[in-house]
Amino acid sequence: MSTNLSQRFENWTFKASEDQEWMPAQVPGCVHTDLLRLGKIPDPFYGTNEKEVQWIDKKDWEYRATFDIEPSLFTQEHLELVFDGLDTYADVYVNDTHVLSADNMFRVWKADVKAFVKEQGNMLRIHFRSPIQEDLPKLEKLGYALPASNDQSDVGGLGDKRVSIFARKAPYHYGWDWGPRFVTSGIWREVRLEGWTDVKINDLFLRQNEVNATSAQVTAVVEVQTSQPIDTVIRIGADGQRWEKAVSLQAGFHTVEVPISIQNPKLWWSRGLGEAYRYTFAAELLQGERAVATYEVKTGLRSIRLVRDPDEAGASFYFELNGVAVFAKGANHIPNDSFITEVTRERYMHEIISAAESNMNMLRVWGGGFYEENVFYDLCDEYGIMVWQDFMFACSMYPGDEAFLNSVRHEAIDNVKRLRNHPSIVLWCGNNEIDSAWAHYIENGGWGWKKDYNAEQRERIWADYEAIFHDLLPEVVEAYAPGIDYWPSSPMVSLTGDEKQHAHPSTSEGDIHYWGVWHNVEPFENYNTYVGRFMSEYGFQSFPEYKSVRTYAEEEDLALESGVMLAHQKNGAGNRLIKQYMDMYLHEPKDFPSFLYMSQVLQAEAMKTAIEAHRRRKPYCMGTLYWQMNDCWPVASWAGMDYLGRWKALQYYAKRSFNDVLVSVDGTKEDVTDIYVISDQLKKVEGQLQIQLIGFDGMVHREETFAVNVASNSGERLLSLHNADWLEGHDAATTLLRLALRQEGLTDIVQEHYFVPSKDLVLQPASIRVSGGADEDGVHLVLESDVLAKQVWMSSEVEGVFSDNFFDLIPGFPVKVKFTSREGLQQADVISNPGAVEVRSMADFIRVK
């Protein structure tokens, strides 16, 4: 934040360049959202309307605004037009004078317009050139296509001409295997006129040199711009402390470093380990005691490093925060909307609070979207969510010409500088999956891309790759965000320059994307086999719930192979795979709404299997990030929350499986059930583990209690139970194990385990009673059942989140549930009115044979 004078622009209009009629526009925004708001196009998310709006990206568009300049701003020595985001190929004119040309959506664009403006009656006009028409000639000039697996050029009417790789623009705009193709144009971030005289502060970076509980040695790096020589004192203040440095500056740009030392600092911790404390640092340029320029940033003090040390198995891969090895728990984040400017602060809050409430401590900002809005990182800072930050490259090979590399360099500098004060950012990663997809050092490895090119082309394509990801990007990170590690590609083993570099599911170094379950139709049980040092991607699809599906489909569309269902399934085999896996693991659903519910249970069970397999292998494995947290439109996908922010079964399962103390059961052995206790806490776990053998009617057949004493930040196998001994002749299809970890003063941590697969369980219709209650924890609902109710699903007309859902309800073991509404994140009336909650369980959705 700076004290520069500025003003925004209003009264925007837009039109297709070839048209005469100017129409009202909303800025920030894009052509698609403006056309939709005016009723000029149908809802792109509804039905099969995606294909009806593909004409938009073939046209040029223009935006304009008339403006007067406030007198106090007009008299400033410098007037700068600043665009935080132009999407993408744009020419900017002020009073018909060309002031800049933009060609990168991810950059900040500026132009000094003092000489071109008057106090009243100015015109700002931006001409956006079609990204398709702009880039088709580049493809023609190159002479061969570069791989771009997710570019849905056919949807856009371009056949196999994939041009997304030429534009520095959000890759997912061209389609993905969970997202539609909407190639946007517009002013997608704030535009303003800034004015200053004599001197201003452009930037303040808190470089953290050495931080621990005893002291923080920090350098305040202040970027100053002056129009004349100046003698000044730069003062930095934070939490009542001050540090100063006197400097003499000539006209021009300067970087001034002010050393800062803070004794016994309050550290920034990720969720679950401590407070995510942040300091506010204010920089002032003083003339005497008068501040002539100011700048303010908020940051957290912490030490962070990616630890990749050789060990007996291979090499570690984990994040060490303030000297503590952190097991990363979370998901991959994609853009929250196909149309970025539609994402409100409330939607960001809902996502980040959902992550924190789900016991996550990390999100990976995946490289096929965009460098997120400041509010996203502010919220991650506030809630202690670490961010693995990709640069915006994914699943494609890219050009390496001088103009492209120059654009990428500016993009990287702009975004690293913008984001480097966020304590949440713990890693910069070059790209998503390109190293393993191309697999340069393995002739028949990767995704088969190399076979389409001759030897000379291969070497050129790989050299261009190395220029970006092995040279340019790490140089930028080192120069502008020293102290933050850079990882060239995810997944990858290590930068060895030979076949050992490329990741595969059995790798014992680096990070792994494991997709054998799903794409290769491998069984869920394989999640226990393919466990790497850090599982940065894996996933399983489901549908949104019925009322979300009905926002894009009519009743007559509710069939797996209908045109609408296929249009909202971007992974070609997706619907078939969900059904194929459902046949393997679950009972047959009685109708399509039941199929929707059961697809969510199926997904949740898959991800529970994976997450807990990873956590049981701690400290060999030190991270698990499933694919994916969220959706950019209403669709069948791998997301744990649907486009409307409604938690799927996966999100509730993840909350339980990510609990900082976990009781986990490995039932993959035929005759033995292994029970683990895993803790991510910085204190030891002491208590009693109660194990009960219970019939589905609630009868307790056997009960034993075992002492638990697990060291901090560790895990261990506590018990191995022989199934035959424990079942004692009881029917495995109607009997379960209930495990409850009891610690003094804390809520029990409960886990159920079944001896047979879900599809073999004998489930009876359950009579579930819901009542209201209140205790020292506040108002809640209490659920009780007469027989086992599997995957109890509570739903309400009020939008919000239950404290637990999709849980198993055992007779004689009531479950207490709270509800938090999205509106203001306050307790909603639904809590005190059990009748406003609909409750169903698996037996309600099964086809009775």
Side-chain angles (χ1 to χ4, degrees), residues 334-589:
I334 68 167
N336 275 302
D337 208 292
S338 293
F339 307 114
I340 297 170
T341 54
E342 296 299 291
V343 186
T344 61
R345 176 180 174 81
E346 189 278 336
R347 286 174 67 180
Y348 278 119
M349 284 188 66
H350 180 65
E351 180 192 4
I352 303 307
I353 291 173
S354 291
E357 287 293 313
S358 301
N359 296 310
M360 294 180 176
N361 60 18
M362 179 175 280
L363 290 172
R364 173 182 173 226
V365 178
W366 163 82
F370 66 101
Y371 304 94
E372 268 293 356
E373 301 291 356
N374 293 333
V375 63
F376 173 89
Y377 302 99
D378 288 341
L379 289 166
C380 288
D381 292 346
E382 179 181 351
Y383 284 90
I385 304 297
M386 296 181 291
V387 174
W388 168 316
Q389 176 68 51
D390 282 5
F391 285 96
M392 291 303 117
F393 301 88
C395 303
S396 307
M397 301 305 287
Y398 291 88
D401 57 272
E402 184 178 355
F404 189 84
L405 293 178
N406 185 54
S407 182
V408 169
R409 182 178 298 278
H410 282 290
E411 163 193 327
I413 291 171
D414 279 0
N415 285 284
V416 170
K417 288 182 68 175
R418 174 172 70 95
L419 301 176
R420 59 187 175 178
N421 281 314
H422 289 283
S424 55
I425 295 181
V426 298
L427 182 74
W428 282 93
C429 178
N431 68 70
N432 176 72
E433 296 187 338
I434 305 178
D435 182 273
S436 56
W438 182 260
H440 187 70
Y441 301 107
I442 303 175
E443 178 60 30
N444 296 313
W447 297 359
W449 286 351
K450 293 195 299 292
K451 64 179 173 50
D452 295 330
Y453 305 92
N454 61 39
E456 182 182 349
Q457 290 169 338
R458 287 189 193 184
E459 291 304 319
R460 177 183 169 184
I461 291 169
W462 184 246
D464 290 345
Y465 173 91
E466 290 193 307
I468 297 172
F469 303 108
H470 297 174
D471 298 331
L472 189 160
L473 293 179
E475 288 171 6
V476 169
V477 173
E478 176 60 31
Y480 293 94
I484 298 298
D485 283 294
Y486 172 82
W487 187 237
S489 182
S490 179
M492 202 181 79
V493 177
S494 186
L495 205 56
T496 58
D498 57 24
E499 70 277 0
K500 298 175 185 176
Q501 179 168 308
H502 311 307
H504 56 83
S506 299
T507 301
S508 60
E509 299 182 33
D511 67 317
I512 287 177
H513 295 188
Y514 171 58
W515 285 102
V517 176
W518 184 256
H519 288 303
N520 295 346
V521 205
E522 295 175 18
F524 293 173
E525 290 73 20
N526 278 15
Y527 282 127
N528 292 278
T529 302
Y530 297 106
V531 179
R533 310 309 296 261
F534 195 104
M535 305 300 293
S536 45
E537 263 195 41
Y538 57 93
F540 196 91
Q541 274 202 5
S542 74
F543 277 79
E545 63 182 79
Y546 174 79
K547 64 181 178 181
S548 294
V549 171
R550 288 289 278 110
T551 65
Y552 63 82
E554 300 298 327
E555 284 290 339
E556 57 266 27
D557 300 319
L558 300 186
L560 208 51
E561 299 299 316
S562 75
V564 171
M565 287 304 121
L566 292 176
H568 288 257
Q569 168 56 271
K570 288 293 184 173
N571 181 232
N575 290 357
R576 175 184 59 78
L577 282 171
I578 293 173
K579 185 178 187 307
Q580 188 172 349
Y581 272 103
M582 196 177 294
D583 291 343
M584 291 165 60
Y585 287 102
L586 296 181
H587 296 85
E588 183 183 358

Side-chain angles (χ1 to χ4, degrees), residues 128-330:
F128 289 98
R129 304 191 302 281
S130 159
I132 304 305
Q133 308 297 358
E134 184 80 10
D135 288 335
L136 279 170
K138 297 176 186 175
L139 178 62
E140 185 73 22
K141 181 181 178 182
L142 185 62
Y144 52 84
L146 288 170
S149 301
N150 289 281
D151 183 328
Q152 296 171 15
S153 54
D154 55 330
V155 175
L158 300 176
D160 61 357
K161 295 179 178 178
R162 298 182 176 92
V163 296
S164 57
I165 45 88
F166 297 106
R168 290 313 299 145
K169 174 175 173 57
Y172 84 110
H173 283 170
Y174 297 82
W176 217 264
D177 60 1
W178 36 257
R181 183 188 186 278
F182 299 124
V183 184
T184 55
S185 290
I187 307 166
W188 73 285
R189 277 182 173 154
E190 184 180 275
V191 52
R192 61 192 175 277
L193 195 62
E194 289 186 351
W196 62 280
T197 299
D198 295 339
V199 63
K200 72 167 180 171
I201 300 176
N202 287 327
D203 190 53
L204 171 61
F205 170 44
L206 281 305
R207 188 175 70 223
Q208 302 188 28
N209 308 313
E210 186 176 355
V211 176
N212 54 49
T214 304
S215 71
Q217 304 304 318
V218 178
T219 301
V221 183
V222 188
E223 289 187 11
V224 181
Q225 184 178 355
T226 67
S227 58
Q228 59 187 29
I230 184 174
D231 292 327
T232 184
V233 171
I234 296 180
R235 174 187 291 167
I236 309 295
D239 275 23
Q241 299 183 69
R242 288 181 174 180
W243 304 267
E244 295 183 351
K245 185 173 186 176
V247 290
S248 294
L249 305 175
Q250 298 301 308
F253 293 86
H254 304 273
T255 298
V256 180
E257 297 192 352
V258 181
I260 290 173
S261 180
I262 299 176
Q263 299 306 305
N264 303 313
K266 297 178 181 177
L267 300 181
W268 184 91
W269 289 97
S270 58
R271 189 220 56 79
L273 295 181
E275 181 184 3
Y277 187 83
R278 291 177 293 166
Y279 288 82
T280 298
F281 288 89
E284 297 176 299
L285 257 64
L286 302 176
Q287 295 278 270
E289 277 302 307
R290 183 173 72 91
V292 294
T294 65
Y295 202 99
E296 188 176 281
V297 299
K298 186 178 282 191
T299 190
L301 300 179
R302 84 296 182 249
S303 67
I304 185 71
R305 69 185 184 110
L306 175 63
V307 181
R308 296 173 53 239
D309 292 340
D311 58 22
E312 292 179 0
S316 65
F317 193 106
Y318 67 88
F319 293 92
E320 184 185 82
L321 176 64
N322 301 326
V324 173
V326 182
F327 189 102
K329 299 177 292 191

